[in-house]
Amino acid sequence: MLKDFKEFVMRGNVVDMAVGIVIGAAFGAIVTSFVADVIMPPIGLLLGNVEFSGLFTVLKEGKVPGPYETLAAARAAGAVTLNYGVFFNTIMSFLIVAFSVFLVIRNVNRLKKKEDAPAPATKECPFCLSVIPVKAVRCAHCTSELKG
């Protein structure tokens, strides 16, 4: 059983998948930082100094009654909150990751199409424009000699 498990793990697909997961996790961290630290601050400035990650609504007050200045203060008081700002940041992160994956898949598909294109089996005779095999050295229709 241990030998079978080792063979399974050492297959190319499993190792490739593991590498992809690790790179994906690192990419997710980069995108999260990009959204929180680069994208959202200028949008917040344009909308009047709004900090999206701090936007929340109190659904139920905690042990210490509100109002709460920050989401961290509300959480510390045990309040039940609806964190729509954090949700908005998460949506932005998802859209960036989804768009990045779309671009990668799109380019991979383009490369596959170029690799998968079979060589043509026929060509046109330059003299009579009839369809002839690619390897033909003389046209079967007009009997012209073909060069190259």
Side-chain angles (χ1 to χ4, degrees), residues 27 93-103:
F27 183 69
S93 295
F94 169 77
L95 291 176
I96 291 171
V97 169
F99 186 69
S100 299
V101 169
F102 165 75
L103 291 177

Side-chain angles (χ1 to χ4, degrees), residues 1 3 5 12-13 27 45 49 76-77 94 101 103 113 135 145:
M1 186 169 153
K3 181 181 173 188
F5 180 72
N13 294 344
F27 183 69
L45 276 174
N49 266 350
F94 169 77
V101 169
L103 291 177
K113 285 180 185 177
K135 294 183 178 181
E145 245 185 83

Side-chain angles (χ1 to χ4, degrees), residues 2-133:
L2 188 60
K3 181 181 173 188
D4 291 341
F5 180 72
K6 181 180 176 184
E7 286 178 24
F8 170 75
V9 170
M10 295 312 292
R11 273 196 207 153
N13 294 344
V14 175
V15 174
D16 291 345
M17 183 180 68
V19 170
I21 289 170
V22 170
I23 290 174
F27 183 69
I30 291 170
V31 169
T32 300
S33 175
F34 180 68
V35 169
D37 302 328
V38 177
I39 299 277
M40 299 314 288
I43 292 174
L45 276 174
L46 289 173
L47 297 175
N49 266 350
V50 176
E51 171 60 41
F52 283 95
S53 62
L55 296 177
F56 66 98
T57 300
V58 176
L59 300 176
K60 181 182 176 193
E61 290 189 357
K63 294 177 184 176
V64 178
Y68 306 105
E69 292 285 326
T70 64
L71 179 57
R75 286 183 176 164
V80 178
T81 58
L82 180 67
N83 308 321
Y84 57 90
V86 175
F87 182 69
F88 185 71
N89 281 353
T90 303
I91 288 174
M92 291 297 292
S93 295
F94 169 77
L95 291 176
I96 291 171
V97 169
F99 186 69
S100 299
V101 169
F102 165 75
L103 291 177
V104 168
I105 301 260
R106 182 175 174 212
N107 287 328
V108 167
N109 286 341
R110 278 188 189 161
L111 291 174
K112 280 186 179 181
K113 285 180 185 177
K114 288 180 183 176
E115 291 173 3
D116 293 345
T122 60
K123 63 180 180 181
E124 284 188 348
C125 171
F127 302 103
C128 69
L129 302 178
S130 298
V131 177
I132 56 174

